[in-house]
Amino acid sequence: MEILRIENLTKTYGEGDNKVEALKNINLSINEGEFVAIIGASGSGKSTLLHLLGGLDRPTSGKVVIDEKSIYDYNDDELSIFRRRKIGFVFQFFNLIPVLDVEENIELPVVLDNEKVDKNYLDEIINILNLNDRRNHLPSELSGGQQQRVSIGRALVNKPSIVLADEPTGNLDSKNTREVIELLKFTAKKFNQTLILITHDTNIATMADRVITIDDGEIIKDTKIDN
Ligand code: ADP
Ligand code: ADP
C-alpha cells in the first residue's frame, strides 16, 4: 500500500543569476514498509528531496502526499506536529545534547511533546540498539557508532511511520557503517516503518529493497533489488 507520493515536485533556490533548480518535476510513489536508498552525486538534489519528504522545507511547486494528506497544505504549526508524529530523522551529525545522558537524549522528542514515555518501548529500542550498559552515559563518553545509535533511538522514540536518514554513516568507519544500516533496516522491518536512506555508498545502497538514482534534480534510475 502506498504511504508516500510525490507529484510534480519542483524546488528552486535563489533567483536571477543565483537560481538553482535543485529538483525538477519529480514524481515518485513509495509503499508502506519499503526500504528505499537514494543515491547520486554531491549537489544532485538528494538532501533537498529528503527535506521536502520530511516537511522540513516547502517546495516551489508540486505536492508531497503522505497517508493521503498533502503535507504542504498544513500551516507551519501543523507541519511541525506532522513531523514529530510521523517522521524520524537521522542525520550525518548526531546532534545529541551534551548534558543529557543516553536515555534522556532518546526520550527528548517525547518529553518536548509533553507526552509520556512508553518505558517498555524505550527499553526495547535501547536493547535493540545495544545501548543498555550505556543508558546513563553522556554523549562525550560514547564512540561515534554508539552516538549514532543514540540518535537512531531518538528518531524512533515517537514511533514514526517513516524514517528519513541523510548520510547517517558519513562520520563512521566501515564496520560501524554496516552495523548502523543493519540496525535501521532491522528496526524498520520490526516496527513496520518505511525507511528512506540517502547515501553515496553504492554497497550500502544495495542493502535496500529499491535504489533511486538522482542526477541534476531528476530521477534517472529506479531499480528494485532482490535481497
Ligand atoms: P545533495 O544532497 O545531492 O548533495 P542538495 O539537495 O544539497 O544536493 O543540493 C542540490 C542543489 O541545490 C545544489 O546545487 C546546491 O548547491 C543547491 N542548494 C541546496 N540548498 C540550498 C540553499 N539553501 N540555497 C541555495 N542553494 C541550495
Ligand atoms: P487532533 O489529534 O484531533 O487532530 P490535535 O490537537 O492533536 O488534534 O492537533 C492540533 C492540530 O494539529 C490540528 O490542527 C490538527 O489538524 C493538526 N494535526 C493533528 N495531527 C496531525 C498530523 N498527524 N499531521 C499534521 N497535522 C496534524
Side-chain angles (χ1 to χ4, degrees):
M1 213 178 74
E2 182 184 83
I3 186 166
L4 187 159
R5 181 169 76 246
I6 296 172
E7 295 175 7
N8 303 319
L9 194 69
T10 297
K11 179 69 181 180
T12 307
Y13 294 109
E15 33 189 75
D17 288 347
N18 288 331
K19 191 165 148 173
V20 176
E21 281 188 288
L23 293 177
K24 302 170 182 169
N25 206 42
I26 297 226
N27 288 282
L28 182 63
S29 167
I30 291 176
N31 283 334
E32 206 172 34
E34 236 182 333
F35 173 13
V36 180
I38 297 176
I39 61 172
S42 177
S44 56
K46 303 183 297 296
S47 293
T48 300
L49 177 60
L50 208 78
H51 289 171
L52 289 175
L53 292 180
L56 289 172
D57 200 358
R58 286 183 183 272
T60 305
S61 62
K63 278 188 187 178
V64 174
V65 180
I66 293 178
D67 282 341
E68 296 303 323
K69 292 199 193 78
S70 175
I71 65 168
Y72 291 104
D73 291 345
Y74 291 136
N75 66 33
D76 288 351
D77 290 344
E78 290 168 338
L79 199 56
S80 71
I81 290 170
F82 154 81
R83 268 200 310 269
R84 287 205 305 268
R85 294 189 184 163
K86 278 274 174 193
I87 311 278
F89 293 97
V90 184
F91 296 105
Q92 176 171 355
F93 301 100
F94 317 129
N95 301 318
L96 301 175
I97 309 287
V99 296
L100 299 183
D101 70 18
V102 165
E103 195 171 320
E104 291 163 337
N105 265 286
I106 293 176
E107 289 174 340
L108 191 63
V110 179
V111 172
L112 290 176
D113 231 359
N114 288 317
E115 297 281 341
K116 256 181 98 91
V117 177
D118 176 343
K119 287 287 182 190
N120 287 331
Y121 177 67
L122 181 73
D123 286 347
E124 191 177 8
I125 52 182
I126 286 178
N127 268 320
I128 292 170
L129 296 170
N130 199 15
L131 289 167
N132 230 336
D133 55 352
R134 292 287 181 277
R135 288 178 93 110
N136 301 116
H137 285 63
L138 295 174
S140 60
E141 300 170 323
L142 304 175
S143 71
Q146 288 169 335
Q147 290 183 53
Q148 190 57 305
R149 281 186 268 136
V150 175
S151 87
I152 291 171
R154 184 185 51 195
L156 300 183
V157 76
N158 264 334
K159 304 181 180 172
S161 48
I162 299 175
V163 174
L164 301 178
D166 191 348
E167 296 277 8
T169 58
N171 278 319
L172 301 179
D173 62 23
S174 57
K175 177 179 162 286
N176 278 304
T177 291
R178 193 102 203 153
E179 187 177 279
V180 157
I181 304 299
E182 291 286 5
L183 275 171
L184 281 169
K185 189 171 167 168
F186 177 82
T187 48
K189 295 283 178 239
K190 181 169 179 68
F191 300 118
N192 194 30
Q193 295 154 344
T194 305
L195 174 61
I196 304 178
L197 166 76
I198 289 186
T199 179
H200 59 261
D201 184 335
T202 45
N203 287 322
I204 293 298
T206 55
M207 292 167 74
D209 306 322
R210 179 177 172 192
V211 180
I212 291 173
T213 310
I214 303 205
D215 182 39
D216 199 14
E218 293 179 293
I219 293 175
I220 56 162
K221 209 166 154 195
D222 189 342
T223 314
K224 289 250 189 295
I225 308 268
D226 275 322
N227 274 317

